[in-house]
Amino acid sequence: MTTSTSPQGTGDTTAAGPGGGARTTKLAIVGAGAVGSTLAYAALMRGAARTVALLDVNRAKVDAEVLDLQHGIQFMPMARVEGSDDVAVCAGADVVVVTAGAKQKPGQTRLDLAEGTIGLMRRILPGLVEVAPDAVYVMVTNPVDIVTYAALTFSGLPPTQLFGSGTVLDSSRLRFLVAQHCGVAVQNVHAYIAGEHGDSEIPLWSSATIGGVPLLEWPGLGGRGPLTAEARGDIAREVVQSAYRIIEGKGATNYAVALAGTRIIEAVLADEHRILPVSTLLDGAYGLHDVCLSLPTLVDRRGAAERVEVPLADDELAGLRASAESLRAVARRFGL
Ligand SMILES: NC(=O)c1ccc[n+]([C@@H]2O[C@H](COP(=O)([O-])OP(=O)(O)OC[C@H]3O[C@@H](n4cnc5c(N)ncnc54)[C@H](O)[C@@H]3O)[C@@H](O)[C@H]2O)c1
């Protein structure tokens, strides 16, 4: 059974119905845990999709999350929420976001989660692709770069159609910290984290800008100085460590990842042509092959449509290669 509601009781709104109703957008979220349910909330609050479907093996949990979200629909942009432990709830989705899996425990790295998660992807991907063959798939489950690589293998989908949320979250952490240090609005900072969503990730300082000024030439403002090498190092370490600190304190990270995920979903559903550092399969960019990692990429209705060739400094290129090597080694360790 599927728990569902429609504000007007009109049934499925995802396809032209007998009355000729317009086709609307459907977002399916696999995993109704801390990340999946907060992602549903964020997507609903932003009106990202008309139908939001949650799938989780834990029936009691998914039913409870759906009910709670349904009770808030009056206060959100028009939407319908449904949920089930049956994959059929994802049928016809335009975007499928995968958050199912074990969460990191305090002290665990994302790579520690790899083995169980790869097995999970092997089990769930074929059924999802069967009911939602045309959806764009966004992998969020960690270790996201390995999971994305595995999911491409198990789903048979092209890399444009299936990619990982990658370092969209890490880049927003970076921008927040730079903005805080410089005393400017976070929206004035343009900077990306590339590589692994994890310990080997690298900030692309050489292409970063603040209010149109190259970050490395930022003179300082309002009595605050420039971003010295020491300050940049502290910020880069804080970006890597902050997830561990949040997990220590409350057991999961959920708000920022949900908003980062919603930004990706919006870029797809609204065909935004937005440049986001998502994790995609590399096919020769920067001399790297056969590994999924994050680089600034054009995201639109097709999915991860095209990679942007950002100029890299020598140390950034070396960092990216090291990140690719470490990810490739993990993938091989798990037989991928
Ligand atoms: N990529 C990122 O930026 C990012 C950020 C935060 C968390 N994460 C990852 O997201 C994942 C989820 O984290 P969480 O805190 O929500 O964990 P959680 O334990 O709260 O939720 C996971 C949910 O997945 C469900 N699940 C397990 N197997 C399933 C299956 N076969 N089908 C459907 N549902 C299934 C569980 O029942 C559970 O409700 C973790 O891997 C975490 O590391 C990624």
Side-chain angles (χ1 to χ4, degrees), residues 30-37 55-58 61 98-104 110 113 117 120 123-124 139-144 165-166 169-170 173 197 251-254 257:
V30 184
V35 174
S37 53
L55 170 67
D56 200 295
V57 284
N58 184 340
K61 167 85 168 147
V98 178
T99 76
K103 67 172 79 181
Q104 266 173 275
R110 296 178 182 96
L113 300 175
T117 312
L120 176 65
R123 289 196 300 281
I124 65 174
M139 312 308 294
V140 175
T141 303
N142 276 321
V144 71
S165 61
L169 170 60
D170 316 60
R173 287 176 176 147
H197 168 60
T253 65
N254 59 324
V257 63

Side-chain angles (χ1 to χ4, degrees), residues 13-318:
T13 54
T14 59
R23 190 185 188 288
T24 58
T25 49
K26 177 170 177 175
L27 163 66
I29 300 171
V30 184
V35 174
S37 53
T38 314
L39 183 61
Y41 178 74
L44 285 161
M45 285 295 284
R46 291 178 61 88
R50 181 67 162 72
T51 301
V52 174
L54 281 165
L55 170 67
D56 200 295
V57 284
N58 184 340
R59 187 58 204 255
K61 167 85 168 147
V62 73
D63 282 353
E65 293 293 357
V66 167
L67 263 182
D68 204 2
L69 289 166
Q70 285 173 341
H71 296 164
I73 281 177
Q74 178 192 340
F75 312 108
M76 296 174 175
M78 187 68 86
R80 167 189 163 88
V81 186
E82 54 192 29
S84 180
D85 56 2
D86 185 336
V87 70
V89 77
C90 301
D94 299 286
V95 174
V96 175
V97 181
V98 178
T99 76
K103 67 172 79 181
Q104 266 173 275
K105 297 189 180 65
Q108 252 189 337
T109 71
R110 296 178 182 96
L111 293 182
D112 290 335
L113 300 175
E115 193 168 11
T117 312
I118 291 167
L120 176 65
M121 294 305 137
R122 194 191 296 273
R123 289 196 300 281
I124 65 174
L125 257 301
L128 286 166
V129 174
E130 200 177 320
V131 298
D134 301 323
V136 168
Y137 284 74
V138 182
M139 312 308 294
V140 175
T141 303
N142 276 321
V144 71
D145 304 288
I146 303 293
V147 165
T148 303
Y149 188 90
L152 281 168
T153 310
F154 304 143
S155 67
L157 293 173
T160 308
Q161 201 182 336
L162 187 152
F163 57 92
S165 61
T167 54
V168 176
L169 170 60
D170 316 60
S171 299
S172 77
R173 287 176 176 147
L174 176 73
R175 289 178 191 208
F176 167 75
L177 291 166
V178 169
Q180 207 180 35
H181 182 96
C182 297
V184 300
V186 68
Q187 291 81 0
N188 289 136
V189 179
H190 288 271
Y192 294 106
I193 296 271
E196 177 196 358
H197 168 60
D199 299 350
S200 70
E201 67 191 18
I202 45 155
L204 302 183
W205 296 119
S206 71
S207 54
T209 60
I210 304 171
V213 180
L215 181 145
L216 294 176
E217 295 167 28
W218 179 250
L221 198 67
R224 297 168 195 244
L227 264 163
T228 60
E230 191 191 354
R232 296 197 301 277
D234 287 346
I235 287 174
R237 273 187 294 282
E238 173 62 13
V239 170
V240 172
Q241 288 305 320
S242 53
Y244 293 112
R245 287 210 284 124
I246 297 168
I247 290 165
E248 285 285 344
K250 64 172 205 166
T253 65
N254 59 324
Y255 296 117
V257 63
L259 288 162
T262 302
R263 170 50 51 88
I264 299 169
I265 293 158
E266 288 172 329
V268 174
L269 290 177
D271 195 27
E272 284 181 354
H273 295 248
R274 193 179 281 271
I275 295 169
L276 295 167
V278 291
S279 181
T280 57
L281 183 67
L282 263 58
D283 51 4
Y286 304 99
L288 300 170
H289 298 266
D290 198 31
V291 64
C292 289
L293 53 69
S294 291
L295 282 165
T297 304
L298 189 80
V299 179
D300 63 21
R301 189 63 188 83
R302 295 167 291 175
E306 217 174 305
R307 200 164 298 108
V308 180
E309 292 274 336
V310 181
L312 299 182
D314 290 347
D315 60 331
E316 293 167 352
L317 186 56

